[in-house]
Structures are given as structure tokens and as C-alpha cells.
Amino acid sequence: MVVSRREFDALFDAVRTWGRWSPADRGAWNRVTEDRVRRATGTVRSGRVVPLALPWNTVPGPDNPRPALHHMTDLGDVQSPEPATHKDFIAADYHGKAVTHLDALCHVSYRGRLYDGRTAKDVVGAAGARFGAVSALGPLVTRGVLLDLPAVLGIRWLEPGRAVHAQDLLAAEQALGVRIGEGDAVLLRSGQTRRRTELGAWDPDTASAGLHVDAVPLLAERGIALLGGDGDSDVRPSPVDGVHSPVHALVVAAMGVPLLDNLDLEALSAATDRAGRHEFLLVVAPLNIPGGTGSPVNPVAVL
């Protein structure tokens, strides 16, 4: 379903939460109070910890044009008193399709404005961002909900280009026996990681399963605090002419909701299926980077 730019702009204004919270650069994460975190710990029953990050990817490919770096800087042969040490160096241009990362609120602007109406060119510069940086978020701990679309549909994965609409989210809730609530982190599994493992890499910038913009009002109505998936949440090709990542614009710039991109949800899919429940405690600890537009992360789900 194609959405005109005029319709998209009206949708942006409809889900916008500018001026609602203080501090504003935490956006929707202000919904997650200490009491909500305490209640989220009640979802832990077995104590099983499931990591959700992809391996550090140093191999070039159609989905990894700027590979992460990893090399050794000390092999233990430097002349020094005992003990010998082994050291390495890592780096990543992580805003892409290959590194599991968190998008902070300063990462996305629309019509020149960041979340809360801040002018992007005024608050983001060569030294980083003075508003909406990842350092303003800190560790993120809340109830997580997995919407496992392939499991609901009885398929191995959603094909690239498959849009997930609001009715798909509602059907997944009913089938999985879970309901998205205020302050939740919603994780959408398309099966992209499994498809890549079995069929090989492709360019998800041109074709990826993900949310259609018509699903965003439901997430706004439910009051989510974090959104993530095994892609970057946007369906591609984009249904909005001239807007490559419309869900990013709506969720981050309008709603003030951080995004988790490029999760590995395969182990979590298996674990929630075995447990017979699709809620869990989610813990995300971004690096403390003042002015940072996000951070590589290794989120964990605790069942």
C-alpha cells in the first residue's frame, strides 16, 4: 500500500509526542519508571539468558559494505614483566545492516527536526550531539515482547519486501498470547537472520521485511518505549515516496522511541516457543558515549 508524502506528514504529526516529557532527550524512555522495571523482573521464571546480538562482522558483503574492524595489537611477545598480555582493537561504522546497535534520538531527523522539534543542524555537529545522545539513555531495562511473525504464519521467514501491517501485529498478539503494553520493548522477528544463513546475504537497503507505516499508530497508542527487530524495522522498498526509512522517522523523530537494529532473534524464537510465552526481561546496555548517535550493543533477554 503506497502512502503519499502528504499522508505520511499527517501521520507524523498524529503520532508526535513533542513537549510531553522531561528530560526530553530520553523521549519515550521516560515511560520506563523504576516501578515498571521492578514489574518487568516478574517476567523472569527460568532464569535463562538469551543473547540477541549478531557476531562482530568483519567480512565485506552486500549487507556489510563497511565491515567492522578487529585486529590484534599485542600477541604477548612485548618485552615486559610477567604476566604476558594479549590485546586487540575493534572499531565499527555501526549504523548499517551488519552490527547490532541502538539508535539514539539524535540519529534521525525529519524535515530538519530531531525529536521534540530540535533543529538538527543546531544540536548535531562534528563533536557529536548536544541533545538526544545515547549517553542520555543509559542502560535500558524493561519488559520485552517478541512478535514472531514466521512462527505465527508457519513459515521459515518473511521474504524481503514483505510489509508487516497493524493487523499482522494484532494477529500475532492473539496467536502468541501476549499483548503489547506501555513501556514495553517490542521486538519483531522476520526470520532475516535465518534466511541469510540458509540462502546467503543480499542488500537489505533495497529489499527487507519490516513494518509498514500503518502499523506505527498501534505502537504509539500502546505507548511502547523501545522498538527492535532482526532488520532495522523498516520494510523496503519504502511505501512512502521520497522517504527511505519512514518507520525510523515516525518512531525516533516523532515518537521519541529508540530503535534496536540487526538483532539475532533466532535463539529467542526457539526459547520463547519452548517456554510457551513471548514476554521476558530485556536488558540493553549501550556504551556511554557523550554526544553519540547510538552504540553497538549486546542485548540480552532473560526468561
Side-chain angles (χ1 to χ4, degrees):
M1 182 176 66
V2 176
V3 176
S4 72
R5 191 65 173 270
R6 182 177 179 179
E7 291 171 320
F8 179 76
D9 286 348
L11 178 57
F12 186 97
D13 293 339
V15 300
R16 189 172 59 188
T17 60
W18 296 1
R20 180 175 299 184
W21 291 296
S22 180
D25 58 358
R26 287 175 61 81
W29 197 253
N30 283 288
R31 290 187 169 114
V32 184
T33 62
E34 290 182 355
D35 182 62
R36 199 172 295 283
V37 173
R38 180 186 59 78
R39 283 185 279 140
T41 64
T43 63
V44 177
R45 299 178 191 174
S46 69
R48 180 175 180 185
V49 177
V50 183
L52 307 179
L54 295 170
W56 196 249
N57 193 342
T58 61
V59 180
D63 57 349
N64 193 20
R66 299 183 300 277
L69 303 178
H70 177 218
H71 64 257
M72 300 301 295
T73 58
D74 188 344
L75 295 177
D77 52 3
V78 178
Q79 295 297 320
S80 62
E82 294 283 5
T85 59
H86 304 86
K87 302 174 185 177
D88 51 0
F89 167 89
I90 60 171
D93 188 355
Y94 59 88
H95 283 301
K97 312 301 180 187
V99 176
T100 302
H101 66 271
L102 178 73
D103 289 343
L105 300 191
C106 62
H107 175 54
V108 179
S109 64
Y110 182 63
R111 299 181 298 201
R113 302 280 179 173
L114 298 172
Y115 177 70
D116 211 45
R118 308 301 172 102
T119 304
K121 66 179 182 180
D122 291 340
V123 298
V124 182
R130 299 189 303 277
F131 173 84
V134 70
S135 51
L137 293 173
L140 309 179
V141 182
T142 193
R143 175 183 181 251
V145 171
L146 177 66
L147 297 184
D148 194 339
L149 269 295
V152 170
L153 298 171
I155 57 179
R156 298 172 71 78
W157 52 70
L158 304 184
E159 285 294 338
R162 164 68 152 85
V164 177
H165 299 275
Q167 61 264 32
D168 296 314
L169 301 185
L170 293 171
E173 283 186 321
Q174 184 173 7
L176 299 172
V178 69
R179 180 179 170 84
I180 300 165
E182 185 175 0
D184 282 352
V186 177
L187 306 184
L188 178 70
R189 176 176 174 260
S190 70
Q192 175 172 296
T193 307
R194 183 175 188 176
R195 187 183 192 277
R196 186 186 191 279
T197 299
E198 296 189 16
L199 300 184
W202 72 96
D203 181 4
D205 254 341
T206 60
S208 59
L211 291 171
H212 191 279
V213 295
D214 68 11
V216 174
L218 173 64
L219 300 176
E221 177 188 331
R222 297 290 183 85
I224 68 168
L226 184 63
L227 177 66
D230 49 10
D232 69 357
S233 295
D234 266 288
V235 65
R236 294 193 181 83
S238 168
V240 184
D241 184 43
V243 184
H244 180 259
S245 303
V247 170
H248 275 64
L250 294 173
V251 172
V252 181
M255 293 166 54
V257 172
L259 284 175
L260 281 171
D261 291 347
N262 312 321
L263 298 170
D264 183 349
L265 298 176
E266 297 308 298
L268 183 60
S269 172
T272 53
D273 181 62
R274 282 194 298 271
R277 56 192 180 92
H278 288 74
E279 65 169 0
F280 42 86
L281 180 69
L282 181 70
V283 181
V284 186
L287 299 175
N288 187 1
I289 307 172
T293 63
S295 171
V297 288
N298 182 22
V300 294
V302 188
L303 282 72

